[in-house]
Amino acid sequence: MPPPYREQCHAEIEFADTGITDLVGEAYLTPAASGFIGPSRAAVTIRTAGSNAMAGLRSAADSAGFRAGPVEPFVRSWRAGSAWQILLIAGLIFVFWSHSDGMVVFWFAAVILAAFAVREFLALIAPHPPHAASPAGPGSPTSPSGPGATPAS
């Protein structure tokens, strides 16, 4: 086979090999990701653990003085839209990535999970500590309406 055809054949084989690797990577990633969506006990447990971890992290950050400012209400109001944007951008990058292999698929999954974690962290409503009850609350002995209060005339 003459050299120009040999190079073209090699390029086509490399392209097919990369395409098959991408397909296999997506074939593993898609069922793994869809397993987190369903109502199965494992999926619910994993989602609950992730939500509790984010809530704990957010609570710790809030107690340390973290404030995201106007980003919080924006992320909260565009939560569903931001999920689609994360997936669309990641999908486009994955499709147009020229040299993908197993590690690229792994790191794409890691970056997508990190993006969703940041979204969850910012979308959580910060828990407010309960207000301390005043000692002169309703029904207390020192309250005007409590026991032993003299009615106003």
Side-chain angles (χ1 to χ4, degrees):
M1 191 181 301
Y5 296 115
R6 191 176 309 147
E7 290 172 10
Q8 182 181 2
C9 185
H10 183 267
E12 288 177 5
I13 290 172
E14 186 176 330
F15 178 75
D17 182 43
T18 303
I20 291 171
T21 303
D22 290 349
L23 186 63
V24 169
E26 288 180 32
Y28 282 118
L29 188 61
T30 302
S34 66
F36 293 120
I37 296 171
S40 72
R41 196 168 111 183
V44 171
T45 302
I46 290 171
R47 284 195 309 262
T48 303
S51 294
N52 290 341
M54 277 298 131
L57 186 63
R58 179 60 190 256
S59 177
D62 286 337
S63 66
F66 173 78
R67 297 290 174 256
V71 174
E72 291 177 14
F74 176 79
V75 172
R76 239 179 264 125
S77 64
W78 290 95
R79 192 172 182 176
S82 64
W84 284 108
Q85 289 172 353
I86 290 169
L87 293 175
L88 178 67
I89 291 168
L92 287 173
I93 291 171
F94 189 75
V95 165
F96 292 112
W97 193 271
S98 60
H99 300 289
S100 55
D101 57 5
M103 287 305 290
V104 171
V105 172
F106 171 78
W107 285 111
F108 265 100
V111 169
I112 291 168
L113 284 175
F116 274 104
V118 168
R119 183 191 72 132
E120 279 298 311
F121 179 82
L122 292 173
L124 285 173
I125 297 174
H128 297 290
H131 296 293
S134 66
S140 70
T142 57
S143 169
S145 63
T150 55
S153 338

